[in-house]
Every structure is written in C-alpha cells, then in structure tokens.
C-alpha cells in the first residue's frame, strides 16, 4: 500500500514537471515568433527610410542648376537605390546585414546634409528653389527625429538579438568509464570521463565553425587541464580549459561528445562542468564521483 502511494506521488510529480516543460517550450516558441516579427518590422522601417531618401534626392535635383552638383546628387541617389535593392534581398533574421545597411543610412544622411548646405550657399537659386530646399530640410529633420526615436528601440533589439543568437548547451551528461569502456562504479576504476550534451536549435545564431571549451572543476575548484597554457578569453580574462572541441554548427540541434582521459588522481566528491562558446557560458552541470 505504501509503495502504491509513493508511485502515485512520483507519477503526479512527473506529470507536473512535464506540464511545466510544455509551458516553457510554448513560451520560447512565442518569444521566437515575436523576435522574428520585430526583425521584420525593423527591415520594413529601413526600407521606408531608404525610399524616402531616394525621393528626397529627386527633390534636391530640382533645386540646383549646377551640373557638377546635379551629377553628384544623381550618384548618391543611385547608391541609395542600390542599397535599397540590397535590403530587399536581405532576410529579416540577418541582423548583421541589417545593422550594416542601417549604418550606411547614417552615412547617407550626413552626405545629404552636406549637399543641402552647398545648395543653400549658391547665390543663383531663386525664391522658389529656396522654398523647396526648406521643405526638403524639414523632411530631413522629421526623418532624423523619427530615426532618433527608433535608435533606442533598435539598441534594445540588438541586445535581444545578441542574447538570442548565443548557443545553448542542454542535456549535459557525464559518465565515468572503466578501461573496458563501460560505466565505472568506483572512482579508482575510472579511465575516462565521457561528456555528452546537445547544442540546441537556434534560428538566430550564425552557422559555421565554432569552438567549444569544456572546463572540468574538481571539488576543490582546481581545473583539470593538460597544460597551463590551454586558455581562452572570457569576460576580459583568461580561463584554463580541460577540453577544446571544434564543431560545424548548422542552426539545428546537434549532439556533441568529448572525452577526458584520466591521468591524474581523482577523488570522490562533487565536480562541476562548464561549457563555453564565443566568450559566453552556454551550459553548466555538476556530477559526483564515488
């Protein structure tokens, strides 16, 4: 009877844990959907701003009679249109390209201001041309204010993108193995430590070659390492690592396994495991040796 009660309690706890996990997964999916929507809106804002600048160059060209200056305005307008075409082909999730095109837009604004100043200084312009320049200047100021208001929002979005694009190590498992490759029951029989984990799927993370660093810390916080020069950068300091692993990240979930050959004395106690990538701590776990 007592065993049945225990089993019932365990079953209830498992169901509750599964419910919490399902809720967290749904929240994560919703967060990713919202982030993609923010990327899409940011791209649309930039497209609108580039289109506005292109139209403003049309208006500026109407106010000048100087052929050299008109040719320079034409070149800047073509550059604006070319960047707009590039923006059309950029994916909404490509934060790096969107950021580059945003910086290009800032340069275009500076160039436009210089042309407005040149036009304003020409003595040959008539009253009607001056009115047009004032209208263009007003539009520029309005656009600048709008861009200024968006700057803080884009800054926050960039920080969110940076966090969202970090790798995440999940399901970390450490298994002591004996000389036959089977799980060791006692610390003194341990020949290797098998470390397995998954790099989670992340649609916002860049793909390509990545370097992972694994740190194994003994109960006294001493790091298992082969050479004191085996270090990597983390928060403006150098940390010693135990294992370095190269992977090719595709954006999809992938399993990773690494091994530590035991050549030193390991004593019973609680050990800690930290995994790093690109200067970020992407996963931690603890394990015990008996």
């Amino acid at each position: 009877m007592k065993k049945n009660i225990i089993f019932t309690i365990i079953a209830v706890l498992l169901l509750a844990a599964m419910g919490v996990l399902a809720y967290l997964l749904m929240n994560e999916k919703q967060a990713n959907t919202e982030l993609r929507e923010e990327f899409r809106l940011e791209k649309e804002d930039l497209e609108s701003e580039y289109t506005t600048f292109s139209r403003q160059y049309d208006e500026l060209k109407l106010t000048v009679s100087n052929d050299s200056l008109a040719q320079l305005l034409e070149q800047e307008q073509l550059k604006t249109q070319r960047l707009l075409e590039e923006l059309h082909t950029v994916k909404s999730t490509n934060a790096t390209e969107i950021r580059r095109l945003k910086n290009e837009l800032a340069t275009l604004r500076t160039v436009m201001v210089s042309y407005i100043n040149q036009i304003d200084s020409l003595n040959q312009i008539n009253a009607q041309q001056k009115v047009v320049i004032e209208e263009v200047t007003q539009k520029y100021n309005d656009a600048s204010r709008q861009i200024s208001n968006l700057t803080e929002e884009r800054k926050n979005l960039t920080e969110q993108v940076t966090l969202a694009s970090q790798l995440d190590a999940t399901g970390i498992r450490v298994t002591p193995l004996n000389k036959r490759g089977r799980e060791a029951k006692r610390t003194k029989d341990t020949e290797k430590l098998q470390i397995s984990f998954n790099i989670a799927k992340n649609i916002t993370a860049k793909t390509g070659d990545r370097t992972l660093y694994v740190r194994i810390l003994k109960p006294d916080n001493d790091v298992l390492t082969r050479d004191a020069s085996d270090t990597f950068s983390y928060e403006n300091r150098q940390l010693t690592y135990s294992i370095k692993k190269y992977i090719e990240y595709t954006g999809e979930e992938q399993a990773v396994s690494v091994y530590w050959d035991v050549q030193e004395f390991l004593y019973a106690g609680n050990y800690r495991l930290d995994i790093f990538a690109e200067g970020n701590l992407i996963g931690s776990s603890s394990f015990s040796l008996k």
Side-chain angles (χ1 to χ4, degrees):
M1 183 64 178
K2 185 178 292 183
K3 289 184 177 181
N4 290 337
I5 294 174
I6 293 173
F7 289 150
T8 300
I9 293 173
I10 293 174
V12 170
L13 291 176
L14 287 175
L15 287 173
M18 291 173 65
V20 171
L21 179 60
Y23 175 78
L24 292 176
L25 290 174
M26 289 177 64
N27 281 350
E28 181 180 359
K29 182 178 179 180
Q30 178 65 26
N32 287 336
T33 300
E34 293 175 355
L35 191 57
R36 287 195 296 271
E37 180 64 13
E38 290 179 359
F39 292 160
R40 185 185 66 79
L41 292 174
E42 180 179 23
K43 182 182 176 183
E44 289 180 358
D45 288 341
L46 282 176
E47 288 174 345
S48 176
E49 292 166 11
Y50 269 108
T51 302
T52 298
F53 269 94
S54 181
R55 287 199 301 265
Q56 289 176 352
Y57 274 115
D58 278 330
E59 296 171 355
L60 278 176
K61 286 188 293 185
L62 294 175
T63 66
V64 298
S65 57
N66 184 293
D67 292 338
S68 297
L69 184 55
Q71 185 176 5
L72 290 174
L73 290 172
E74 178 68 20
Q75 292 175 356
E76 287 300 317
Q77 185 180 32
L78 291 175
K79 180 179 179 181
T80 301
Q81 294 171 347
R82 176 178 58 79
L83 291 171
L84 178 59
E85 291 175 359
E86 289 183 24
L87 183 59
H88 285 321
T89 63
V90 171
K91 292 183 179 180
S92 297
T93 55
N94 193 334
T96 300
E97 277 302 295
I98 290 177
R99 191 180 301 113
R100 179 182 69 81
L101 291 169
K102 180 180 176 181
N103 292 335
E104 291 281 0
L105 186 62
T107 302
L108 291 176
R109 288 202 307 272
T110 302
V111 172
M112 178 175 281
V113 170
S114 69
Y115 286 141
I116 291 174
N117 292 334
Q118 291 181 54
I119 293 171
D120 193 53
S121 67
L122 293 175
N123 296 325
Q124 295 92 344
I125 61 176
N126 56 32
Q128 182 180 1
Q129 290 173 325
K130 290 181 180 179
V131 171
V132 174
I133 291 175
E134 291 175 359
E135 292 177 352
V136 172
T137 303
Q138 182 61 46
K139 291 178 181 178
Y140 164 74
N141 290 335
D142 291 341
S144 295
R145 282 193 292 270
Q146 293 175 3
I147 293 171
S148 178
N149 292 335
L150 289 172
T151 298
E152 187 63 29
E153 296 177 15
R154 298 297 176 266
K155 178 181 177 181
N156 293 334
L157 180 60
T158 299
E159 293 174 352
Q160 294 178 27
V161 170
T162 301
L163 291 174
S165 64
Q166 293 179 5
L167 298 185
D168 186 21
T170 63
I172 302 172
R173 303 175 302 280
V174 180
T175 306
L177 302 176
N178 59 27
K179 62 182 179 181
R180 296 183 179 179
R182 298 177 181 176
E183 184 173 357
K185 302 300 182 183
R186 297 179 298 182
T187 302
K188 69 176 184 177
D189 297 327
T190 300
E191 296 286 332
K192 290 180 182 241
L193 294 177
Q194 180 186 41
I195 302 163
S196 303
F197 53 91
N198 295 323
I199 299 297
K201 178 179 178 179
N202 191 332
I203 61 173
T204 62
K206 67 178 181 180
T207 59
D209 295 335
R210 301 293 187 92
T211 304
L212 307 180
Y213 296 95
V214 178
R215 278 168 53 94
I216 307 171
L217 290 86
K218 296 190 293 186
D220 60 2
N221 286 329
D222 189 22
V223 179
L224 294 178
T225 186
R226 292 284 176 255
D227 194 318
S229 64
D230 291 342
T231 60
F232 66 97
S233 297
Y234 177 68
E235 295 185 348
N236 298 320
R237 57 197 176 106
Q238 294 295 309
L239 296 182
T240 305
Y241 65 83
S242 305
I243 305 169
K244 179 193 290 187
K245 175 71 174 181
Y246 298 103
I247 65 170
E248 183 177 355
Y249 185 62
T250 63
E252 298 294 327
E253 182 177 47
Q254 64 187 89
V256 179
S257 292
V258 295
Y259 296 86
W260 174 261
D261 293 323
V262 177
Q263 299 177 5
E264 58 283 297
F265 174 75
L266 297 181
Y267 49 90
N270 294 321
Y271 289 69
R272 193 174 89 243
L273 185 78
D274 294 330
I275 303 172
F276 296 81
E278 298 184 318
N280 298 307
L281 176 62
I282 65 172
S284 295
S285 183
S286 60
F287 63 98
S288 298
L289 294 180
K290 300 179 180 180

